[in-house]
Amino acid sequence: MTMLLRSFPTKCNLCFCIVRQSYGYKVPTRTLAATVGNTKKKYLHKEKTLKNIPVKQKLPVINIWDGMTVKDLANSLDKDTDHIFEVMIYIPQTDRYDRDKSVINDIEVIKEIIKKSGCKYIMKSKQKTRTQLDMDAYKRPQAHSSELVRRPPVVTIMGHVDHGKTTLLDKLRHSNIVDGEFGGITQHIGAFSVRLPTSKEEITFLDTPGHAAFSAIRARGAHATDIIVLVIAAEDGVMNQTKESIQLAKQANVPIIVAINKIDKSGVDVDLTKRGLFSEDVVLEEYGGEVQSVAISALKGTNLLELQEAIVAQAELLDLKADVTSLVEGVVIESKTDPGRGKLATALIKQGTLKRGAYLVAGTAFAKVRAMFNDQGQPVQLATPSQPVEILGWRELPSAGEEILQVETEKRMKEVISYREEIQKEEKMNKDIVEIKKFQEEHDRIYQEKLQTRLAAGYKRYKRGPREKDKVISGMYDGPQLCIVLKGDVDGSVEAILDTLETYNDHTQCRLDIIHYGVGQVSENDVILADSFNGTVLAFNVAVVETVSKLARSKNVSIKTFNVIYRLTDYLRQELSNRLPPRIEHDVLGEANVLQVFQITEGKKKVPVAGCRCTSGSLHKKNLFKIVRENETIYEGNVLSMKHLKNEVQSIKTEVECGLSFEDRTIIPEPGDAIVCYQHKEVPQSINWDIGF
């Protein structure tokens, strides 16, 4: 018993009392209660102490990767972007990450944000995005030949400017389009359906501009067509845009029909024009080739029936067919904003039948078709292959030349647009990363050069120069510049003007900045934007409402309207030239030769005086003089004194001798020196801009 009791810890009084009771020993009740109470207090105190000891928590681990955006980082942390922006307040050099889509290209910044958010990080490869799941819309496979039906041919009229393309279309559709064209030239693509009176065949014609500025529009017309009618004026022959049209037809693998126009004029040689096509590798049928040719007069209507028959024959050889039951496929010919109807896109249907309510995508633009109009402006209920229609219902204007595809549902339409926008964002992000890396490399190179200069010169001898902020401010452009806001009637016209403006490369003389461009009427926002940059608003083929004109007058903003592209470019060339400072030229008034040099005394100083004879023109005391010695100018400035004999005079004529003393008396003329009297003349400068037409 004694040994058993000794085996228990001495501090365990409760156990000791229990054992004593089990062996028959009496333990007072008060003693047992006190022992139980003390033991309970001891264990309660121990439990309370354990609770106060801080338990080491497990920090969440966040996946990070290079090129994360602010939004990506917020999603990884399961927080909103406001949390990220708040954390970045305490991290230096994070001011540039001010948008949800801003790419955080510094991985150390990402790590610091994770740490300050109370998390750990682990590097992972870039997470898969929606762009890796191809959700784009594509053309459907070609249907079986038994399901295809015949469709009208699409014919594009191409050729050099002012060779009679629009006049030809006027005769074919019995209209008078050419009278409504500004400057007598077509400035955007037009699409018309014509039913020929003889064969009752329906043909869709595309009229493309022949002006040099609209090459991109001609290229779209060549790729959207089945047959190209190449109009050549018999009096001019093959011109620049004629050659370009031939090359476009070859690139698009489209057959050509040559229409030699203006044969009604006297003295034209049609055979010479035909032979001129040999140099462009266009061999006509009468010379053993495969290209049809028709001599016509669009103005008189001569041989237009033969031209129509040639088109129909070529279409039959091509055996043009389409599937009218499939989903719609087409191409955007032109797009514009109509003040009354909204955003409109002229489309050419290639496959399927377009109806109201259809869901369309074109690039990143989409539409639910609300209405359709034919080339006469009349509403239509459906559009079949080869039919041009204006489509109403676009949320954003599609770009001319974009492919139009129909999708089944609105949900599918939004998926396609979202996917395409993600693709564009990634492409832009990749380009930005490349530019940022180039900037960083350039910054590191400049820093290393400065560091080496400092080490070589010593810290105290190194000239620090202005602070970085001062350099940025001093490096801002403060030379002559012209800022413009451009608004046009259709997307193609705006595109052609922008292409023309890209040919300007004389930014060292006068800078040309396009601060905004778009399709539609001039708005109040355009005027406010132009006022912010002290710019000008250029309106091409669009009206300016009175409220906008009134706002422009109040803000002293100039709005210039144009209907012809070359008048717009002439205005820009003149405005750029007006902003150039005048060039200073020397206008020579007279010349003299130094015959002898005298030394005269004025007070206590000796002053050199050049004895001269005026050899040409006249010398005037109020003008400037220069001394030329062996073809080198040694002095430029004013004269202090001009004397003839002993009299002070203001001018000296030819073959008259005089004495001249100059302001800089350290310059001593020598016999044989030439003295030139001249005045500064300001000559206006003109900009060097070769537009190409």
Side-chain angles (χ1 to χ4, degrees):
M1 172 65 183
T2 305
M3 295 299 296
L4 180 62
L5 292 176
R6 287 178 180 175
S7 64
F8 286 98
T10 57
K11 291 184 179 181
C12 188
N13 295 327
L14 180 61
C15 297
F16 181 77
C17 293
I18 292 171
V19 171
R20 283 177 62 87
Q21 277 188 334
S22 63
Y23 279 91
Y25 290 94
K26 290 184 179 181
V27 179
T29 305
R30 185 180 297 176
T31 304
L32 182 61
T35 304
V36 171
N38 292 336
T39 305
K40 185 177 180 181
K41 288 180 182 180
K42 186 186 300 182
Y43 280 97
L44 286 174
H45 176 73
K46 186 176 182 181
E47 183 179 357
K48 186 176 180 181
T49 306
L50 289 174
K51 283 184 179 180
N52 292 333
I53 297 175
V55 180
K56 190 175 181 181
Q57 295 181 352
K58 208 170 185 180
L59 298 178
V61 179
I62 306 300
N63 294 334
I64 62 172
W65 58 89
D66 285 325
M68 292 185 80
T69 63
V70 174
K71 184 69 176 176
D72 293 336
L73 188 53
N75 292 338
S76 295
L77 286 167
D78 196 19
K79 296 181 181 294
D80 56 16
T81 53
D82 290 339
H83 169 79
I84 306 299
F85 292 132
E86 186 176 353
V87 173
M88 285 195 293
I89 294 174
Y90 304 99
I91 301 175
Q93 298 181 356
T94 56
D95 296 341
R96 58 183 181 273
Y97 310 127
D98 56 351
R99 297 177 183 272
D100 292 0
K101 300 175 183 177
S102 298
V103 178
I104 306 175
N105 52 1
D106 189 349
I107 193 64
E108 297 301 326
V109 172
I110 298 175
K111 292 178 180 178
E112 193 65 25
I113 293 173
I114 297 294
K115 290 178 181 178
K116 291 186 180 296
S117 299
C119 302
K120 292 183 178 181
Y121 60 84
I122 183 171
M123 291 295 297
K124 294 284 187 181
S125 59
K126 189 173 181 179
Q127 290 189 351
K128 291 187 177 181
T129 61
R130 295 177 60 189
T131 56
Q132 291 176 301
L133 302 174
D134 194 346
M135 304 182 70
D136 206 350
Y138 298 97
K139 289 182 178 180
R140 272 63 178 179
Q142 184 71 37
H144 192 269
S145 58
S146 61
E147 300 176 4
L148 303 179
V149 298
R150 188 177 177 185
R151 66 172 178 84
V154 179
V155 180
T156 298
I157 308 295
M158 302 184 75
H160 195 73
V161 63
D162 200 29
H163 274 201
K165 301 182 297 298
T166 307
T167 305
L168 173 60
L169 278 175
D170 281 342
K171 283 294 181 181
L172 291 174
R173 70 196 300 262
H174 307 289
S175 62
N176 194 21
I177 305 167
V178 71
D179 287 349
E181 293 183 337
F182 299 102
I185 62 173
T186 304
Q187 300 185 107
H188 52 76
I189 198 167
F192 319 97
S193 288
V194 176
R195 188 174 295 276
L196 304 182
T198 54
S199 61
K200 302 300 180 183
E201 292 280 349
E202 188 174 340
I203 300 177
T204 296
F205 284 100
L206 301 181
D207 182 20
T208 61
H211 197 277
F214 299 93
S215 58
I217 298 180
R218 288 192 293 275
R220 284 199 298 274
H223 285 84
T225 192
D226 302 313
I227 302 169
I228 289 178
V229 173
L230 184 62
V231 179
I232 305 175
E235 58 182 348
D236 294 333
V238 178
M239 303 292 286
N240 291 334
Q241 273 64 63
T242 311
K243 297 176 182 178
E244 182 190 280
S245 299
I246 293 171
Q247 293 301 318
L248 290 173
K250 291 180 179 179
Q251 292 172 7
N253 197 23
V254 177
I256 297 174
I257 298 175
V258 177
I260 301 176
N261 193 21
K262 302 185 181 182
I263 62 171
D264 55 305
K265 291 192 174 183
S266 60
V268 297
D269 191 344
V270 176
D271 291 332
L272 180 63
T273 303
K274 290 180 179 180
R275 290 193 297 270
L277 292 168
F278 277 108
S279 60
E280 301 303 320
D281 198 22
V282 176
V283 184
L284 304 181
E285 285 182 338
E286 51 261 50
Y287 297 109
E290 298 180 353
V291 179
Q292 300 181 74
S293 68
V294 183
I296 65 169
S297 171
L299 187 63
K300 303 291 185 181
T302 307
N303 293 338
L304 295 190
L305 179 60
E306 286 80 354
L307 178 61
Q308 296 169 19
E309 291 175 349
I311 293 172
V312 173
Q314 187 68 54
E316 289 177 352
L317 290 174
L318 295 174
D319 191 23
L320 302 171
K321 292 183 178 181
D323 183 6
V324 296
T325 61
S326 67
L327 293 176
V328 171
E329 297 174 11
V331 61
V332 178
I333 300 298
E334 198 57 273
S335 61
K336 64 180 181 179
T337 300
D338 188 275
R341 294 181 292 176
K343 295 180 174 64
L344 289 171
T346 301
L348 182 66
I349 308 302
K350 291 188 172 183
Q351 299 284 347
T353 302
L354 182 60
K355 301 177 183 178
R356 289 181 59 185
Y359 297 103
L360 303 178
V361 293
T364 56
F366 62 95
K368 181 181 180 181
V369 181
R370 292 166 48 198
M372 294 180 289
F373 307 91
N374 61 14
D375 58 280
Q376 301 295 330
Q378 300 169 345
V380 294
Q381 298 301 315
L382 53 87
T384 54
S386 299
Q387 183 177 351
V389 288
E390 281 188 324
I391 301 172
L392 177 64
W394 297 93
R395 296 291 182 88
E396 298 292 337
L397 276 180
S399 298
E402 289 282 4
E403 182 183 56
I404 297 176
L405 295 175
Q406 181 184 1
V407 293
E408 297 83 354
T409 62
E410 184 177 6
K411 180 181 177 182
R412 174 67 179 138
M413 177 180 69
K414 292 181 178 179
E415 287 178 352
V416 173
I417 297 301
S418 178
Y419 172 81
R420 291 181 177 182
E421 288 176 346
E422 287 289 337
I423 290 290
Q424 285 187 352
K425 288 177 185 176
E426 286 198 4
E427 290 176 352
K428 184 179 183 302
M429 184 180 70
N430 292 334
K431 289 180 181 178
D432 291 343
I433 290 174
V434 172
E435 292 299 323
I436 289 170
K437 286 184 177 178
K438 287 182 179 178
F439 178 80
Q440 287 178 336
E441 290 174 359
E442 180 67 16
H443 179 272
D444 292 341
R445 184 186 64 79
I446 295 173
Y447 172 76
Q448 291 297 329
E449 289 179 356
K450 290 181 179 179
L451 181 61
Q452 294 301 322
T453 304
R454 184 186 304 177
L455 293 175
Y459 182 79
K460 291 184 178 180
R461 293 174 57 193
Y462 175 70
K463 187 178 180 181
R464 290 180 172 274
R467 295 188 300 271
E468 195 64 31
K469 184 176 180 181
D470 297 334
K471 289 184 180 180
V472 172
I473 295 173
S474 62
M476 293 175 66
Y477 184 80
D478 58 355
Q481 62 179 337
L482 174 62
C483 299
I484 61 172
V485 174
L486 174 65
K487 298 303 287 287
D489 55 344
V490 294
D491 183 71
S493 298
V494 175
E495 178 190 28
I497 295 171
L498 292 175
D499 289 343
T500 303
L501 297 184
E502 284 184 359
T503 62
Y504 179 75
N505 53 13
D506 202 2
H507 293 281
T508 55
Q509 280 193 289
C510 184
R511 187 168 171 177
L512 176 60
D513 284 336
I514 307 169
I515 55 180
H516 175 66
Y517 63 88
V519 177
Q521 289 185 328
V522 179
S523 65
E524 293 183 355
N525 288 335
D526 297 327
V527 175
I528 294 171
L529 185 60
D531 179 54
S532 301
F533 288 87
N534 194 24
T536 303
V537 179
L538 305 182
F540 186 78
N541 271 342
V542 294
V544 182
V545 297
E546 182 57 31
T547 55
V548 175
S549 298
K550 185 177 179 181
L551 177 64
R553 287 193 296 269
S554 66
K555 292 185 173 293
N556 199 24
V557 173
S558 176
I559 300 179
K560 299 294 182 180
T561 58
F562 302 93
N563 297 322
V564 183
I565 189 169
Y566 58 75
R567 291 176 185 165
L568 184 148
T569 54
D570 288 345
Y571 166 79
L572 286 177
R573 185 189 281 111
Q574 186 61 43
E575 281 297 304
L576 289 167
S577 299
N578 292 341
R579 280 166 167 73
L580 295 179
R583 185 174 63 253
I584 304 300
E585 292 185 354
H586 289 179
D587 185 16
V588 177
L589 303 176
E591 295 181 356
N593 287 334
V594 178
L595 304 177
Q596 193 173 357
V597 179
F598 304 95
Q599 295 285 345
I600 64 173
T601 303
E602 289 185 359
K604 296 183 179 180
K605 295 183 180 179
K606 289 189 176 182
V607 178
V609 176
C612 310
R613 178 184 288 118
C614 182
T615 57
S616 64
S618 58
L619 309 181
H620 299 271
K621 183 179 179 181
K622 64 180 180 179
N623 295 116
L624 297 171
F625 287 78
K626 62 181 178 180
I627 303 174
V628 181
R629 182 179 299 162
E630 296 179 354
N631 296 324
E632 182 180 352
T633 301
I634 63 172
Y635 172 75
E636 283 187 272
N638 298 316
V639 294
L640 286 177
S641 175
M642 177 183 289
K643 290 186 177 182
H644 175 60
L645 301 177
K646 294 185 178 181
N647 300 321
E648 188 74 23
V649 295
Q650 298 299 317
S651 63
I652 297 293
K653 296 181 179 180
T654 307
E655 299 301 330
V656 177
E657 295 182 352
C658 64
L660 299 176
S661 63
F662 300 94
E663 279 187 344
D664 188 355
R665 294 180 177 179
T666 61
I667 300 296
I668 300 176
E670 294 180 0
D673 289 348
I675 295 179
V676 180
C677 177
Y678 67 94
Q679 63 181 1
H680 285 153
K681 182 180 179 181
E682 293 185 350
V683 179
Q685 297 189 75
S686 59
I687 209 71
N688 184 22
W689 185 7
D690 183 14
I691 298 176
F693 55 84

